[in-house]
Amino acid sequence: MNTINFEEPIRAVPLWLLRAYLEELGGTLEGDYAVRGANWYAYLTQLHDYEVGSLRIGQVYIAFEGDTNALQPIREGLTVKLQTRGGG
């Protein structure tokens, strides 16, 4: 098994919605801040709002770990969901 770690902040998506997206992609919630899938795991952390001037945007930090082959479709599916969501 080829294991990778990947992490990044996700902006303008609330924590609850990011969890829901990961569930739709085959994950199972493990508490409020973790989602486990087949050969992958995602840790979520609510961050302080990202600020640009007077504009404040919510953000969640997501860290993935798991098998490269398992994570690739999860990351691709999440990208599609984030890019096509209403208001995103």
Side-chain angles (χ1 to χ4, degrees):
M1 179 165 75
N2 187 12
T3 302
I4 64 167
N5 294 315
F6 176 79
E7 50 195 60
E8 69 177 324
I10 305 290
R11 296 191 176 115
V13 177
L15 178 68
W16 66 267
L17 184 55
L18 195 51
R19 282 192 314 244
Y21 286 165
L22 291 170
E23 283 184 286
E24 290 172 10
L25 293 167
T28 302
L29 290 178
E30 292 192 348
D32 291 334
Y33 301 100
V35 182
R36 179 179 300 278
N39 297 319
W40 62 272
Y41 201 80
Y43 304 93
L44 307 167
T45 305
Q46 182 71 58
L47 299 175
H48 292 290
D49 289 348
Y50 179 75
E51 297 183 38
V52 179
S54 62
L55 178 65
R56 298 178 71 171
I57 302 168
Q59 59 182 349
V60 177
Y61 184 79
I62 187 167
F64 286 105
E65 67 179 50
D67 179 67
T68 304
N69 295 326
L71 275 175
Q72 186 64 33
I74 301 306
R75 289 179 56 197
E76 289 172 1
L78 185 58
T79 297
V80 169
K81 289 179 177 298
L82 293 171
Q83 290 177 347
T84 59
R85 75 189 254 302

